[in-house]
Amino acid sequence: MSEETVNAATPGMPDGSSFSKRGRLADAVIEHLTNAIVTGIYPEGKALPTETALCDMYKVSRTVIREVSTTLAEKGLIVSQQGRGTTVQEQSKWNLLDATVLAALFRRDDGLTYLDSLIEIRLLLECAMSSRAAERISDDEVAELRSILTRLKSVSADPVAYGAADLEFHDFIMKVSGNKLGRAIINGIQGQALATRDYHGHPTLSDIEATHQAHEAIVNAIEQHEPEAAARAMHDHIEGSWKHRRRTAG
């Protein structure tokens, strides 16, 4: 099968020559095929092109394609069966916490629904962690949290700088809570969402001012060791910010 035939039969497939110019070939092919599977170019139950066709398509060796196939299988995306070749698995088998799979999910046409799920996860975990932080925060940690808040205020005219400091603010509260697993889950999932325009939005200066007021309410509750108030302030902040960003998404 020629490269032209493969590309014509599989929409969204690349110019294979571009892959020969990238860093680690297997990683580049894994990313491209993961995106093709997750976004439905190869739907559930569909067979992937043969090993020979994939080699031609991506201009890589059989060794690379076999490494790619092994990795995609570990992600739960494909399964190889004798007589049927390699087929795409149903979504229930996918590892949705895998970074490459997540990044592709957020790029889908229904990516907003997955961002909604991320917000639900943040509400469940971050509110509980804020409550826990209010119970256990030390005087030194209060001073550090106040320092982050001051730094946020100092960059409030710069949406990009404020966004970076905002991530530090939330991460510090999660760190103080002592919930290492919750912190890892949120940072892992959110790390991929941040690459999407719909998640971070295009905040105006008035948006940043509203966000900063919410941050101040969170800090005040944590500093006063008021767990319920801290959880409520974090809930109102996350939910309110997302409702605004979601309305302006797209």
Side-chain angles (χ1 to χ4, degrees):
M1 183 181 295
S2 68
E3 182 181 346
E4 289 77 12
T5 301
V6 170
N7 284 336
T10 53
M13 288 297 99
D15 171 6
S17 61
S18 66
F19 281 79
S20 64
K21 301 174 184 177
R22 295 185 60 171
R24 204 175 98 80
L25 292 175
D27 290 342
V29 178
I30 288 166
E31 181 181 350
H32 194 274
L33 274 176
T34 296
N35 189 67
I37 290 169
V38 173
T39 58
I41 291 173
Y42 295 119
E44 296 178 10
K46 182 173 178 65
L48 291 186
T50 64
E51 187 177 277
T52 299
L54 289 172
C55 289
D56 290 342
M57 186 185 305
Y58 293 104
K59 303 299 184 186
V60 297
S61 68
R62 289 181 182 273
T63 300
V64 170
I65 291 302
R66 286 167 185 166
E67 180 182 348
V68 168
S69 296
T70 297
T71 301
L72 294 180
E74 290 172 348
K75 296 178 187 293
L77 296 173
I78 62 172
V79 62
S80 296
Q81 296 176 317
Q82 190 170 6
R84 294 190 59 194
T86 300
T87 57
V88 176
Q89 296 232 72
E90 61 186 67
Q91 186 171 333
S92 63
K93 302 290 180 62
W94 299 355
N95 178 5
L96 300 186
L97 294 182
D98 177 85
T100 312
V101 175
L102 266 175
L105 282 170
F106 291 141
R107 287 195 295 268
R108 283 173 29 153
D109 290 341
D110 61 348
L112 269 177
T113 63
Y114 291 95
L115 293 176
D116 286 337
S117 295
L118 167 56
I119 297 302
E120 289 178 11
I121 292 169
R122 288 189 61 195
L123 287 171
L124 287 169
L125 292 178
E126 281 199 64
C127 293
M129 285 191 278
S130 297
S131 174
R132 182 63 174 149
E135 293 175 343
R136 60 182 294 169
I137 195 165
S138 68
D139 290 343
D140 287 344
E141 288 169 333
V142 167
E144 189 170 351
L145 184 58
R146 280 286 175 190
S147 176
I148 295 173
L149 188 65
T150 298
R151 187 160 63 256
L152 277 163
K153 183 65 174 178
S154 72
V155 297
S156 59
D158 183 343
V160 175
Y162 195 92
D166 177 74
L167 291 175
E168 182 184 356
F169 173 83
H170 284 268
D171 186 62
F172 183 76
I173 292 171
M174 291 189 287
K175 178 183 176 182
V176 171
S177 78
N179 188 337
K180 296 178 181 179
L181 183 56
R183 182 186 181 197
I185 290 171
I186 289 176
N187 286 340
I189 300 176
Q190 186 170 238
Q192 301 305 317
L194 287 168
T196 69
R197 182 182 63 182
D198 287 344
Y199 185 70
H200 57 69
H202 298 284
T204 64
L205 294 182
S206 61
D207 293 334
I208 292 176
E209 178 59 31
T211 296
H212 196 74
Q213 290 176 7
H215 286 160
E216 289 178 337
I218 294 167
V219 172
N220 289 338
I222 291 175
E223 184 178 26
Q224 295 300 315
H225 301 284
E226 297 177 352
E228 291 184 8
R232 185 167 58 253
M234 182 63 75
H235 182 282
D236 291 347
H237 166 48
I238 293 174
E239 185 178 61
S241 294
W242 176 237
K243 282 182 178 179
H244 175 72
R245 296 200 307 275
R246 201 183 195 288
R247 283 196 302 270
T248 59

